[in-house]
Amino acid sequence: MQSNGLSQRYTRGQALPELLKQRILILDGAMGTMIQQYKLTEADYRGQPAMTRFSDHPGDIKGNNELLVLTQPQIISTIHEQYLDAGADIIETNTFGATSVAQEDYKMAGLAREMNEVSAKLARAACDKYSTPDKPRFAAGAIGPTPKTASISPDVNDPGARNITFDALRASYREQIEGLFAGGVDLFLVETIFDTLNAKAALFALDEFFEETGERLPVMISGTVTDASGRILSGQTVEAFWNSLRHIKPLTFGLNCALGAALMRPYIAELARICDAAVSCYPNAGLPNPMSDTGFDETPDITSGLVDGFAKDGLVNLVGGCCGTTPDHIRAIANAVAKRKPRAFYREATETAV
């Protein structure tokens, strides 16, 4: 991308850079955790009995949460509104797996464009309902990593094997981006990155879209450190990860998912030290526990206390929750960091701190 992440003229989400200077912004929490509480059946995922569109679709589709924007839109809208009521400034579209690549698992690749546009409209409507002059709300187009990796072989006996190409990923992401934009998102969030090459495909597709349309939206980037080695799955340290993507001039750069806040702290501290962008952090509610109702153990008080520690030490500009977090977690986080100042960050050496 050729223009500057803060000084460029955004065509949507123009208020975000200034808001990041003023206070720590709040992202929403987990979508899957909330959907899980509805205990939906296979028939529910198909929209039955009210809907017959997917009655004869082959194979099981239970678990395809992105399909719910078409078959159970009221559930997704309710979840969005619960997070907004909890204090979220930014909510994510329900499109983490809404690429044709990911939807191939359910034989629904042809629905990807529609899923993204409808999901964006639902998020946009919820934001419009809760926005006020003093507290505008923003819809982020969620762009997930897909179940496939462009960098790592799926065959231990053939290191050179790949199950997807860069061009295939780029085309799939471009379709998603077009749907999200048509539905009205304010910004794009390339998230839960475990493979930097996958992320580059998404960001290349975004750059193409911006150049061809003349539109320019804020871009947020968030990776995931998968274990105590401090590396993403494709092998990079957080410093290398940042240096691989910093040319994009993202509005925010950070980490989400995986380790939970307690184990994530040293890596957020490292990004806070080296990034000339705003730093984001939205961790899981601790480590997974299949016996828990949400699949994770941390209560809102625990998670918010850990995240507030990041804010107290001046490490973050945007915080929220990932797997296992609920509106109660987000409300607790929002209340905790409301008294904290955002981290000062730089965009260019010639600019002053913001």
Side-chain angles (χ1 to χ4, degrees):
M1 298 182 188
Q2 300 301 314
S3 52
N4 179 283
L6 287 178
S7 61
Q8 64 181 305
R9 295 181 179 178
Y10 291 132
T11 53
R12 295 183 185 176
Q14 297 96 331
L16 281 166
E18 185 62 31
L19 288 172
L20 283 165
K21 299 177 188 178
Q22 297 172 2
R23 61 185 174 86
I24 296 174
L25 297 187
I26 307 299
L27 188 67
D28 62 2
M31 177 63 72
T33 297
M34 298 300 291
I35 291 173
Q36 180 181 321
Q37 296 180 7
Y38 284 85
K39 302 185 186 304
L40 301 177
T41 65
E42 176 73 19
D44 292 328
Y45 273 87
R46 292 175 184 266
Q48 299 169 334
M51 179 182 291
T52 59
R53 179 180 179 184
F54 301 107
S55 297
D56 299 325
H57 186 81
D60 293 336
I61 58 177
K62 182 180 178 181
N64 187 1
N65 288 346
E66 289 75 19
L67 178 65
L68 295 176
V69 301
L70 304 181
T71 60
Q72 302 287 348
Q74 73 286 352
I75 291 177
I76 304 304
S77 292
T78 296
I79 294 170
H80 284 325
E81 293 187 15
Q82 287 176 310
Y83 280 122
L84 290 165
D85 185 67
D89 297 291
I90 302 171
I91 58 170
E92 297 183 49
T93 56
N94 181 37
T95 53
F96 184 83
T99 54
S100 57
V101 171
Q103 286 297 316
E104 285 175 1
D105 291 348
Y106 296 99
K107 300 181 177 65
M108 289 185 161
L111 295 174
R113 175 63 165 73
E114 180 184 3
M115 285 178 178
N116 283 281
E117 183 168 352
V118 173
S119 187
K121 288 179 178 178
L122 293 176
R124 176 74 267 144
C127 286
D128 290 343
K129 181 176 179 179
Y130 277 80
S131 288
T132 66
D134 293 336
K135 191 174 175 65
R137 312 300 180 99
F138 303 89
I143 299 175
T146 84
K148 298 186 177 182
T149 169
S151 294
I152 304 170
S153 172
D155 183 356
V156 69
N157 296 312
D158 185 1
R162 296 291 184 270
N163 57 13
I164 196 162
T165 65
F166 182 92
D167 283 342
L169 281 168
R170 180 199 58 77
S172 181
Y173 282 130
R174 177 61 185 265
E175 179 183 42
Q176 181 174 40
I177 290 160
E178 290 176 352
L180 290 169
F181 182 83
V185 297
D186 301 292
L187 65 152
F188 293 102
L189 170 55
V190 182
E191 66 172 342
T192 322
I193 298 164
F194 63 83
D195 183 340
T196 306
L197 191 56
N198 283 40
K200 283 180 176 288
L203 295 166
F204 187 84
L206 275 169
D207 203 16
E208 280 188 323
F209 177 77
F210 292 156
E211 292 299 325
E212 292 173 15
T213 63
E215 300 287 346
R216 183 74 57 175
L217 278 64
V219 175
M220 297 168 55
I221 297 175
S222 184
T224 183
V225 172
T226 54
D227 56 39
S229 71
R231 297 173 182 269
I232 65 172
L233 189 63
S234 57
Q236 287 185 311
T237 63
V238 292
E239 182 176 9
F241 177 56
W242 159 248
N243 284 319
S244 293
L245 300 177
R246 64 183 301 179
H247 65 283
I248 300 300
K249 306 291 187 186
L251 181 63
T252 71
F253 195 94
L255 299 174
N256 72 289
C257 201
L259 300 179
L263 296 175
M264 192 183 284
R265 183 183 176 90
Y267 313 118
I268 291 295
E270 178 69 1
L271 288 178
R273 182 182 67 83
I274 63 176
C275 283
D276 63 356
V279 169
S280 66
C281 175
Y282 52 111
N284 290 349
L287 297 176
N289 177 7
M291 302 303 292
S292 169
D293 288 341
T294 63
F296 294 81
D297 280 335
E298 283 185 3
T299 63
D301 285 346
I302 295 172
T303 304
S304 63
L306 291 166
V307 172
D308 185 41
F310 298 169
K312 179 182 178 182
D313 293 339
L315 303 180
V316 291
N317 303 97
L318 182 144
V319 294
C322 202
C323 304
T325 59
T326 66
D328 287 340
H329 288 78
I330 299 307
R331 181 174 286 105
I333 290 171
N335 289 338
V337 305
K339 60 184 178 293
R340 308 298 184 190
K341 293 182 179 180
R343 164 185 166 270
F345 60 97
Y346 297 78
R347 171 55 66 200
E348 292 176 345
T350 57
E351 293 182 353
T352 58
V354 290

